[in-house]
Amino acid sequence: MRKASAVVVLAGLAVAVAACGNAPTTTQPSASSSASDGGAKPLQGVKLEVAAKWTGDEQKNFQKVLNAFQEKTGATVTYASTGEDTGAYLGPRIQGGSPPDVAILPQPGLVQQYAKQNALKPLTDAVTKEIDANYTPYWKELGSADGKVYGVLIKAAHKSLVWYRGQAFEDAGVQPPTNWDELIKASQTIADSGTAPLSLCGASGWTLTDLFENVYLSSAGPENYDKLSKHEIPWTDPSVATALQKIQQLVGKKEFILDGASGALQTDFPTCVTKVYGQKKAAMVIEADFVATQAVQDGAKVGDSAKYVPFPKVGDTQPVVLGGDVAVAMKDSPGAMALLQFLASTEGGSIWAKLPGYLSPNKNVSPDNYPDPLTKALGQTIVSAGDAVRYDMSDLAPSAFGGTDGKGEWKDLQDFLRNPSDIKGAQAKLEEDAKKAWK
């Protein structure tokens, strides 16, 4: 949700998304068939409705992808905006028996929820084969429930970045860190130079979950990450203690955090970005690709005054944590399946990748498609990470634990920021709240 929904990214531009129309269909599908031979288009006369939360540039860019699908198939697609609360929009439509043909969900947890309500249609063999050809098995699993595949991850937000202000690094005489120890050492040198190393967005609890997820994935590895995300190991596990100890090295020193813990807990996203690039009070901010949008609004130039490095390795794994959106079918229509197949294809992903602000989880979408150096580099890290890429853990959790302001993991990590010396207490509270959410 939130982070991935913030206006994604790049050289100061937003992400793409939108599309689709209404009514069930009875025509043949196949996004892969086309009318290039001059014959009838396979979905001529078919109408589809797609519902998603995107607006503005995101919607306009996604409409270009839908236009390509319409041109290829003859289908007519219309777009319905869900607003930020996708569940609140879809719930009444599902109950009323008039859901959209295709919905784009902001987190995989909703796939599980709607599958239990029998509100989703399992993907056809053709769509599943498209996923198998273009995605690692992990992404297929995220779109599945009870052994059936329902969703296609179609757009990603890259959450494993540390953004920094070039001048602050130059003034302190430090180099961009490549591992955790270098990050801590650079932070001390920057602090000694008179600048706060880190601007934390502690009032936005999800930014703290992003920090934890990167440290945990790197230090504990992908398998433990998967187990913790499903609550198959408790939050009192030693691997969680190790991750919190590492974070303590960063947030446990008052001089490392702009305005200290109390100030950080009153700073939301994107204000923490403005404090780095607009007000020039701190050197770094840890967050996703969409930091670029705010940095540009604050007068910074991406790649010049606003630079980034991959999240520094804490353990054996180079962390790549993604957020993203999952497309599902809510009507058993051939047109819906054809659209999902197109969105899962290399062709569909490559069209989208040429537009600003988009990142593809499709391993066969070449980074060369991306329109600027930032996205090319980010796209390459996704491809290079291969099977080690993981989805945002808090978005995989029940929302009562991983997605509610003032509750669960958000609040527990805010409390840990207040008192980073109490690692055991933080673990106990995280486990207590997780048990309630996973009942």
Side-chain angles (χ1 to χ4, degrees):
M1 284 201 306
R2 66 272 169 188
K3 38 219 168 155
S5 62
V7 264
V8 156
V9 42
L10 287 21
L13 294 167
V15 185
V17 218
C20 308
N22 46 336
T25 70
T26 53
T27 326
Q28 320 247 45
S30 189
S32 52
S33 19
S34 85
S36 56
D37 58 358
K41 295 183 179 181
L43 294 177
Q44 197 71 47
V46 170
K47 294 182 179 179
L48 294 171
E49 181 186 22
V50 174
K53 65 178 175 7
W54 297 309
T55 58
D57 287 340
E58 288 183 298
Q59 179 177 333
K60 290 175 185 175
N61 286 350
F62 184 54
Q63 187 62 54
K64 292 176 182 176
V65 179
L66 293 170
N67 290 346
F69 172 75
Q70 292 178 115
E71 176 61 29
K72 187 180 184 73
T73 64
T76 299
V77 244
T78 57
Y79 180 77
S81 176
T82 66
E84 280 301 315
D85 194 337
T86 302
Y89 174 88
L90 291 175
R93 292 198 59 179
I94 292 168
Q95 292 168 11
S98 62
D101 296 87
V102 170
I104 297 174
L105 308 177
Q107 58 182 142
L110 289 173
V111 176
Q112 309 293 324
Q113 177 182 321
Y114 291 136
K116 286 179 182 176
Q117 297 174 13
N118 295 316
L120 304 182
K121 305 303 177 185
L123 301 183
T124 60
D125 289 344
V127 184
T128 303
K129 285 178 183 176
E130 199 76 56
I131 294 172
D132 289 338
N134 297 317
Y135 292 78
T136 62
Y138 176 74
W139 300 116
K140 183 178 179 182
E141 181 185 343
L142 279 186
S144 301
D146 297 324
K148 296 179 181 178
V149 187
Y150 292 100
V152 182
L153 193 78
I154 58 170
K155 182 175 73 68
H158 197 303
K159 311 233 145 153
S160 298
L161 302 174
V162 175
W163 290 84
Y164 67 97
R165 185 164 49 86
Q167 190 62 52
F169 272 46
E170 287 180 29
D171 291 346
V174 298
Q175 296 298 313
T178 61
N179 59 49
W180 189 257
D181 289 343
E182 289 180 7
L183 175 65
I184 300 302
K185 185 178 179 181
S187 295
Q188 187 63 63
T189 303
I190 293 168
D192 291 343
S193 77
T195 297
L198 190 64
S199 177
L200 274 184
C201 336
S204 301
W206 55 266
T207 67
L208 302 180
T209 69
D210 286 352
L211 172 60
F212 173 82
E213 287 154 11
N214 277 286
V215 173
Y216 189 80
L217 177 57
S218 187
S219 60
E223 289 186 15
N224 279 328
Y225 187 98
D226 292 343
K227 290 176 182 176
L228 187 62
S229 71
K230 299 171 185 174
H231 200 221
E232 292 175 354
I233 57 175
W235 283 81
T236 49
D237 190 82
S239 63
V240 176
T242 298
L244 292 177
Q245 287 163 3
K246 292 294 185 181
I247 295 172
Q248 181 191 55
Q249 294 177 354
L250 190 64
V251 305
K253 286 196 171 185
K254 186 176 180 180
E255 68 267 28
F256 280 12
I257 309 299
L258 179 64
D259 300 324
S262 59
L265 287 164
Q266 297 176 57
T267 303
D268 65 0
F269 186 92
T271 304
C272 54
V273 180
T274 298
K275 288 186 175 185
V276 173
Y277 294 112
Q279 300 172 8
K280 298 180 173 56
K281 291 181 176 179
M284 292 179 284
V285 60
I286 299 173
E287 248 317 314
D289 52 12
F290 44 73
V291 162
T293 301
Q294 184 60 41
V296 169
Q297 291 178 15
D298 292 332
K301 183 178 179 183
V302 173
D304 182 9
S305 51
K307 301 180 179 181
Y308 76 91
V309 290
F311 194 96
K313 280 180 70 173
V314 182
D316 294 333
T317 302
Q318 178 63 55
V320 177
V321 176
L322 302 182
D325 301 279
V326 184
V328 296
M330 291 191 151
K331 286 184 181 177
D332 196 9
S333 66
M337 291 299 163
L339 178 57
L340 291 179
Q341 184 180 352
F342 183 74
L343 293 174
S345 70
T346 302
E347 178 187 2
S350 297
I351 291 169
W352 207 343
K354 290 180 172 68
L355 304 170
Y358 172 77
L359 284 171
S360 176
N362 183 326
K363 65 183 180 182
N364 292 320
V365 172
S366 170
D368 291 339
N369 286 296
Y370 295 117
D372 58 77
L374 173 60
T375 26
K376 282 182 181 176
L378 295 178
Q380 187 58 57
T381 64
I382 295 173
V383 173
S384 299
D387 291 339
V389 176
R390 286 298 181 268
Y391 196 90
D392 182 293
M393 188 188 294
S394 62
D395 275 350
L396 296 174
S399 61
F401 179 72
T404 304
D405 193 15
K407 295 183 180 179
E409 188 183 1
W410 291 22
K411 183 179 187 302
D412 296 340
L413 290 178
Q414 287 172 327
D415 290 342
F416 176 66
L417 177 58
R418 279 190 190 91
N419 183 17
S421 63
D422 188 13
I423 290 174
K424 285 188 177 179
Q427 286 186 269
K429 192 63 173 70
L430 284 160
E431 177 59 15
E432 177 188 335
D433 289 337
K435 279 182 177 178
K436 293 176 186 174
W438 262 276
K439 275 184 179 178

